Amino acid sequence: MENKYPHHEIEKKWQQYWRDTKLMNMDEASQKPKYYCLMMFPYPSAALHVGHGRNYIIGDAVARYMKMKGYNVLAPMGWDAFGLPAENAAIKSGIHPRESTFNNITKMKSQLEEWGVLYDWDREVTSCAPDYYKWTQWLFLKLYEKGLAYKKEAAVNWCPDCRTVLANEQVVNGACERCSAEVQQKKLKQWFFKITDYAQKLLDDIQSLKGWPQRVKTMQANWIGRSEGAYIDFKVEGLDKTLTCFTTRPDTIFGATYMVMAPEHPFIEDVLQVSENKDEVIKFLAKIKGQSSFQRQAEQVEKEGVFSGLYVINPVNQEKIPLWIANYVIYGYGTGSVMAVPAHDQRDFEFAKKYNLNIRLVIDSPKDSLDGSLMKSAYEDVGVLVNSGKFESMPSDKAKKAITSWMQDKNMGKKAITYKLRDWLISRQRYWGAPIPIIYCDKCGIVPVKEKDLPVELPDDIEFKPTGVSPLEDKKEFIETTCPKCGGAAKREADTMDTFVDSSWYYLRYLSPGNEKIAFDKKAVDKWLPVDQYIGGVEHAILHLLYSRFITKVLFDIKAVGFKEPFANLFTQGMIIKDGAKMSKSKGNVVNPDELIKKYGADTVRVYTLFIGPPEKDAEWNDRAVEGAWRFLNKVWRLMYQITQGGSSLITDETLITSLLVKTNEVIKKVTFDIENSFHFNTVISSIMELVNSTKEVVDKQAELNNLKDEVKSESSFDAGKTLQTICLLLSPLAPHICEEMWRKMGHEESVFLYSWPEYDKKALSLGQVEIIVQINGKVRSRLNFNKGISDEQMKKSVLEDEKVKNLIANSIIKKVIVVAGKLINIVVS
RNA sequence: GGGCGAGUGGUGGAAUGGCAGACACGUGGGACUUAAAAUCCCAUGGAUGAAUAAUCCGUGUGGGUUCGACUCCCACCUCGCCCACCA
């Protein structure tokens, strides 16, 4: 008997076998029900650490489990291969992004293999390959045709020293992460996708996502940020101009004592022409410009503003109120100008206090009556209207509607719905991305590349040193082209697409990998989607998932797909923490799986990773605890030898047979439930551990009995080898290599993954005895054993007749007896 | 400031409103061994106690609902994550 299982030999052998037999490849011809198990495809940055591993190990366990449950499983994998890090590395080291990316892919692929994580590699997609980004460009053209792609000016983070555009994550405390120069805002004409057209649909359909975690749905809803209110028009005094503001509190309109607009508001041009206070305004604007939008949004910035010198007229009471410009108003939400009601909005209140602006109470608290001059903070709750003309003493929630429709009638304003969701800026002034398929012609203007001319290929030979423009801009051979319309000289768009565009549709491409005619086959995607189980990190809860939902809805509207939502079920696994921080290379706390696999084998790493805690929660990695998983697998391995070769597999003792049968079936039931219900592999493993422990106990005890008596006479017998097979099947999705090996050693010709998942036997569960807890007034006082299936009445009777229980009750009066079937009896006495 | 989570032994964690601490890690003790590793066995929330007797306390804090609360309700405290001056 071998003491330690030889993981080195076993793992390589079975990985090779699974690869050769294409175990996890989807079968197009199969009649079995489909199961699309999708893991978020990774960015090929560098070597994977055990934190990444959690995602793939969970996914692999699910895929293998579903296969054994009789599904035709599709488990593909690919690479989100465009992006900034590879380009930054190129700037630093001179290695071409293509080279470093494909090196990383090779490395990561072999790591996945070593983990025993199986995919249908025949369907691999790589987003930086021309045969993939051709169709990302095709998607752009489709959005362009539908009027969902448009160009407008937008600010970017600009580092004046590096002369380059920075992503938000490259800006640290308002400074460039590389050279620490202060980041500026620079305006560029950029491409957007009109996701705001789908804001309401994206919000409405959240409720159809039954298999998504509630918190992700809430995050999406908050991100879309619908609010109902009204647009209200204020005439500017002395000018033939109107300023419109958005408010969610039209009930407070009579309390508007000033108006305030964002420093970026275009009306400021007018202000500068006519204002008597224009010097102050200019001074203020200069000061605000010094604060980047990054600074303005970080932390609590002191509210600052300036009087514009102009007044506007409150339409409901013709009151003349001052117009201010302040840093706390965001241009880009609502209309960029706000009616300020200091009595009922905390921000307005603080601002009014600072600049001595009027505070007028218009909503009185129903509890105690308020006084505007004495208030210490704004009253933002509901209440009853005061100082509000004909709406006096109306409840504020009712007044919201009443005032809005009254204003609508009088042409002062109208009902309005706004969203926080902004259009999706997809232009990147970068090289390593899919080129935007657009051509600029002096005669014809903006002309999309013809579909037949796709892909617009990225040139290989590129200078990476930052020059202030997209590296493609300097590449004459790329930029200079001819107009698809008139054939004249024209220029290509030099920007590339946000990598979120690449990842917004990759799950469709898996159904038609390598197809040169179409992006994806409608029949195939309609059969296989929505994805049955999507697994990934919660960090993608908003952007990636929202963009994918948006693109799916657009594709549905152009009849390219027949479903409205891409992912039916979503599982977001928790992060792996080490030394109190998320595992990451920059923090230097990564645990390298290669060494662990070398020492203990992939199955040990898998079992420990799954055992560490509930998969949706963050978990602290503990190197020492890995040993526990290793010991467990060796225990199973030794148990196999004990049963198959020790000659002690036949259980003849009646009690032992019953206890083993009951335990086995209980564990099958629990393991199946925990996987189906919640992917709680941590309790799955602990249950299997219990089964292994009790099987060993039973086998040992039987051996003892056999030693006592020379001849064992028994009516019935049970082969412990059957339980061992069950253990092997239950454990195989989690620790596939060792189970495959044991399965074959037990005499099976075919892979364990071609066998069916065990079903539990209801009859077996009702065998034997059950311990009943006896409580008196809710406190545990005794335990008694009964045969399973005893009636509540009978059990109650026996308990009350029990000597110990009688003594405990003594002279007290029994008021009530509560019986919980198969569990407990509570005797309430006084 | 808003939203979402989470608080249980020395540690990770377990518990459809029904035995709190399963299963592991760690620690202590023992067996085997010349010794070690490996393996196996025992103990392991706290207090009183000679005790494997018995009793009491114990799931962040304070209330409540209930025969019975880690679990449900209310208020609060602490920590984590995401968003953040959204009118």
Side-chain angles (χ1 to χ4, degrees):
Chain A
M1 172 164 133
E2 295 170 49
N3 218 14
K4 291 273 183 301
Y5 84 96
H7 63 264
H8 288 112
E9 301 161 29
I10 291 177
E11 295 187 348
K12 284 278 165 290
K13 177 175 74 181
W14 293 120
Q15 283 161 10
Q16 178 81 41
Y17 175 82
W18 294 328
R19 193 172 51 232
D20 293 348
T21 57
K22 302 201 168 192
L23 182 72
M24 201 43 87
N25 283 31
M26 184 260 268
D27 176 6
E28 306 246 13
S30 170
Q31 295 298 306
K32 293 175 178 175
K34 65 104 182 176
Y35 189 83
Y36 190 172
C37 180
L38 180 67
M39 281 150 256
M40 289 182 185
F41 70 161
Y43 177 76
S45 55
L48 294 166
H49 56 67
V50 294
H52 302 117
R54 198 180 198 191
N55 184 219
Y56 309 115
I57 291 167
I58 292 170
D60 186 62
V62 171
R64 288 178 189 257
Y65 168 78
M66 292 311 289
K67 187 170 177 66
M68 294 172 82
K69 284 292 273 188
Y71 288 85
N72 183 20
V73 174
L74 171 60
M77 184 41 73
W79 311 98
D80 188 11
F82 272 136
L84 199 54
E87 189 166 345
N88 284 345
I91 294 170
K92 235 187 236 166
S93 63
I95 298 171
H96 195 284
R98 176 169 289 111
E99 196 185 326
S100 60
T101 300
F102 279 100
N103 282 343
N104 288 336
I105 288 175
T106 307
K107 168 74 186 156
M108 287 169 76
K109 218 168 155 176
S110 80
Q111 279 188 303
L112 289 172
E113 177 120 314
E114 279 168 26
W115 259 317
V117 173
L118 299 184
Y119 296 108
D120 184 342
W121 285 113
D122 292 351
R123 296 173 182 277
E124 179 177 5
V125 304
T126 307
S127 67
C128 67
D131 73 333
Y132 182 91
Y133 70 69
K134 170 180 178 178
W135 301 108
T136 306
Q137 293 169 340
W138 169 86
L139 186 66
F140 177 94
L141 294 180
K142 290 291 148 192
L143 272 90
Y144 184 80
E145 273 170 35
K146 283 286 284 178
L148 292 168
Y150 69 98
K151 226 180 169 188
K152 78 168 179 195
E153 205 161 65
V156 293
N157 299 308
W158 175 256
C159 173
D161 284 10
C162 302
R163 297 187 48 73
T164 185
V165 173
L166 300 177
N168 274 337
E169 63 181 26
Q170 295 176 290
V171 182
V172 181
N173 295 326
C176 171
E177 70 168 359
R178 236 196 325 260
C179 69
S180 297
E182 196 182 315
V183 173
Q184 300 172 349
Q185 298 294 301
K186 193 175 171 183
K187 283 198 167 174
L188 293 175
K189 276 219 133 192
Q190 308 195 67
W191 285 96
F192 285 83
F193 282 166
K194 229 175 180 177
I195 191 172
T196 52
D197 272 13
Y198 284 77
Q200 192 60 49
K201 281 184 185 171
L202 287 166
L203 184 65
D204 289 343
D205 288 351
I206 287 175
Q207 51 82 32
S208 75
L209 302 171
K210 301 270 191 294
W212 282 40
Q214 188 53 49
R215 72 181 163 135
V216 174
K217 293 196 272 188
T218 309
M219 281 162 92
Q220 292 224 342
N222 291 345
W223 187 258
I224 295 167
R226 177 190 155 107
S227 49
E228 282 181 44
Y231 286 135
I232 303 175
D233 297 330
F234 289 70
K235 287 211 164 65
V236 182
E237 195 202 36
L239 285 177
D240 188 18
K241 294 262 179 181
T242 300
L243 277 177
T244 304
C245 74
F246 174 74
T247 181
T248 53
R249 294 293 303 272
D251 52 317
T252 63
I253 175 76
F254 288 89
T257 54
Y258 64 101
M259 189 169 191
V260 57
M261 59 183 176
E264 299 88 352
H265 200 290
F267 183 72
I268 289 175
E269 303 265 324
D270 299 65
V271 170
L272 290 177
Q273 293 200 1
V274 298
S275 170
E276 286 172 8
N277 204 27
K278 99 177 190 204
D279 293 348
E280 290 295 314
V281 172
I282 290 170
K283 235 197 270 173
F284 174 75
L285 291 177
K287 188 176 172 190
I288 291 296
K289 220 172 180 181
Q291 308 174 343
S292 64
S293 77
F294 200 85
Q295 273 175 322
R296 259 173 71 195
Q297 283 175 26
E299 304 282 315
Q300 289 277 331
V301 171
E302 171 80 13
K303 291 180 180 45
E304 281 183 278
V306 65
F307 175 48
S308 70
L310 300 179
Y311 291 86
V312 296
I313 308 295
N314 185 341
V316 298
N317 55 11
Q318 303 306 313
E319 189 179 7
K320 181 173 133 182
I321 56 175
L323 174 65
W324 282 67
I325 301 163
N327 62 348
Y328 75 95
V329 179
I330 300 163
Y331 187 70
Y333 180 74
T335 61
S337 52
V338 178
M339 67 172 210
V341 186
H344 305 292
D345 182 285
Q346 186 58 27
R347 294 157 305 184
D348 297 344
F349 183 86
E350 284 165 25
F351 193 78
K353 280 282 178 202
K354 179 166 177 178
Y355 292 103
N356 265 324
L357 293 158
N358 202 2
I359 299 175
R360 184 192 303 141
L361 190 82
V362 288
I363 310 282
D364 205 0
S365 163
K367 286 183 202 142
D368 31 32
S369 98
L370 301 163
D371 183 339
S373 57
L374 298 176
M375 290 167 85
K376 291 255 156 43
S377 64
Y379 179 74
E380 294 182 327
D381 283 347
V382 294
V384 171
L385 268 66
V386 293
N387 302 323
S388 296
K390 63 189 256 198
F391 298 96
E392 198 72 14
S393 69
M394 188 182 275
S396 52
D397 41 359
K398 201 174 153 196
K400 265 185 198 174
K401 281 184 195 157
I403 291 180
T404 306
S405 57
W406 172 69
M407 287 194 301
Q408 202 145 345
D409 289 346
K410 303 271 176 196
N411 263 335
M412 296 186 279
K414 61 179 182 200
K415 196 175 157 187
I417 291 162
T418 61
Y419 301 89
K420 284 184 206 171
L421 184 67
R422 302 269 72 91
D423 276 339
W424 175 11
L425 197 173
I426 60 141
S427 294
R428 295 290 181 270
Q429 295 70 39
R430 294 282 165 187
Y431 162 70
W432 194 231
I436 295 174
I438 286 288
I439 290 168
Y440 301 100
C441 168
D442 284 342
K443 259 197 264 167
C444 313
I446 296 177
V447 183
V449 174
K450 289 207 167 118
E451 206 175 307
K452 66 172 175 58
D453 294 332
L454 295 180
V456 177
E457 271 198 67
L458 267 183
D460 242 343
D461 169 28
I462 276 287
E463 179 60 54
F464 290 105
K465 293 281 172 276
T467 58
V469 288
S470 159
L472 291 177
E473 201 120 11
D474 286 344
K475 192 76 189 164
K476 264 193 181 168
E477 303 89 311
F478 176 81
I479 290 294
E480 288 175 3
T481 185
T482 50
C483 173
K485 244 189 207 168
C486 68
K491 288 189 168 168
R492 283 190 194 282
E493 168 69 62
D495 287 353
T496 55
M497 279 187 256
D498 179 8
T499 53
F500 276 115
V501 182
D502 309 332
S503 60
S504 68
W505 74 281
Y506 74 105
Y507 45 89
L508 303 171
R509 185 64 180 170
Y510 285 135
L511 275 313
S512 318
N515 191 321
E516 288 171 12
K517 302 251 160 58
I518 44 170
F520 49 86
D521 175 31
K522 179 165 192 295
K523 245 172 96 184
V525 295
D526 282 355
K527 177 184 170 193
W528 280 89
L529 278 99
V531 169
D532 294 280
Q533 188 62 57
Y534 199 21
I535 304 173
V538 75
E539 66 273 20
H540 294 111
I542 296 176
L543 295 181
H544 163 62
L545 291 169
L546 195 67
Y547 293 150
S548 300
R549 295 182 59 220
F550 162 60
I551 292 298
T552 300
K553 286 177 190 308
V554 173
L555 292 172
F556 176 81
D557 286 348
I558 63 171
K559 300 195 166 56
V561 302
F563 46 91
K564 291 182 180 176
E565 287 288 342
F567 315 121
N569 296 291
L570 173 70
F571 185 84
T572 53
Q573 91 276 1
M575 281 182 306
I576 295 280
I577 309 287
K578 183 82 199 296
D579 309 322
K582 179 183 175 174
M583 214 174 264
S584 74
K585 215 173 148 191
S586 57
K587 293 205 181 80
N589 61 349
V590 293
V591 175
N592 184 340
D594 301 1
E595 288 161 36
L596 284 171
I597 289 175
K598 219 175 186 177
K599 191 166 172 198
Y600 300 112
D603 286 331
T604 295
V605 174
R606 290 172 64 114
V607 167
Y608 175 67
T609 304
L610 294 170
F611 188 58
I612 194 166
E616 73 280 7
K617 282 199 207 156
D618 292 353
E620 171 86 29
W621 184 271
N622 180 348
D623 275 328
R624 275 198 302 191
V626 177
E627 193 108 359
W630 166 241
R631 290 208 282 249
F632 166 62
L633 292 178
N634 280 312
K635 202 171 183 177
V636 177
W637 183 254
R638 286 193 304 269
L639 181 65
M640 176 190 68
Y641 276 97
Q642 190 177 355
I643 289 175
T644 59
Q645 293 180 13
S648 57
S649 74
L650 211 61
I651 311 299
T652 52
D653 180 82
E654 204 64 54
T655 322
L656 293 180
I657 292 174
T658 306
S659 80
L660 191 55
L661 269 180
V662 170
K663 188 72 193 173
T664 306
N665 284 283
E666 277 174 357
V667 169
I668 294 173
K669 187 178 176 186
K670 174 151 174 69
V671 164
T672 309
F673 178 82
D674 284 353
I675 296 177
E676 302 254 330
N677 190 48
S678 57
F679 298 146
H680 275 192
F681 292 107
N682 55 328
T683 51
V684 165
I685 291 169
S686 65
S687 300
I688 300 174
M689 284 172 167
E690 285 183 40
L691 181 57
V692 169
N693 290 343
S694 20
T695 307
K696 180 162 169 45
E697 218 169 281
V698 163
V699 171
D700 286 348
K701 273 192 185 153
Q702 183 67 48
E704 269 177 50
L705 289 177
N706 292 351
N707 284 339
L708 286 175
K709 294 172 271 178
D710 292 339
E711 256 182 71
V712 183
K713 279 179 192 162
S714 173
E715 297 291 307
S716 50
S717 65
F718 179 76
D719 184 359
K722 281 189 195 162
T723 304
L724 186 66
Q725 292 203 14
T726 302
I727 291 170
C728 201
L729 289 166
L730 294 178
L731 192 59
S732 60
L734 320 177
H737 311 86
I738 187 172
C739 289
E740 186 80 281
E741 178 72 17
M742 291 198 301
W743 194 249
R744 304 308 178 98
K745 276 198 155 53
M746 281 186 271
H748 298 93
E749 296 287 322
E750 282 189 303
S751 169
V752 64
F753 298 101
L754 299 176
Y755 286 79
S756 295
W757 187 253
E759 305 256 350
Y760 71 90
D761 176 9
K762 260 192 184 160
K763 260 193 345 222
L765 292 180
S766 65
L767 296 174
Q769 292 205 315
V770 63
E771 189 181 67
I772 298 294
I773 302 304
V774 180
Q775 293 186 336
I776 292 173
N777 285 347
K779 298 216 173 207
V780 181
R781 284 292 178 260
S782 185
R783 291 141 206 271
L784 292 167
N785 283 314
F786 292 100
N787 285 329
K788 281 185 193 163
I790 187 176
S791 77
D792 288 2
E793 273 310 305
Q794 246 180 317
M795 187 171 86
K796 186 169 150 186
K797 199 168 150 233
S798 323
V799 169
L800 291 174
E801 279 167 6
D802 183 79
E803 281 306 314
K804 188 176 173 191
V805 174
K806 271 191 196 163
N807 286 335
L808 285 164
I809 297 170
N811 298 324
S812 318
I813 299 156
I814 299 176
K815 283 167 62 181
K816 204 176 181 182
V817 179
I818 285 141
V819 180
V820 181
K823 274 195 181 141
L824 127 169
I825 279 196
N826 188 14
I827 303 164
V828 186
V829 299
S830 61

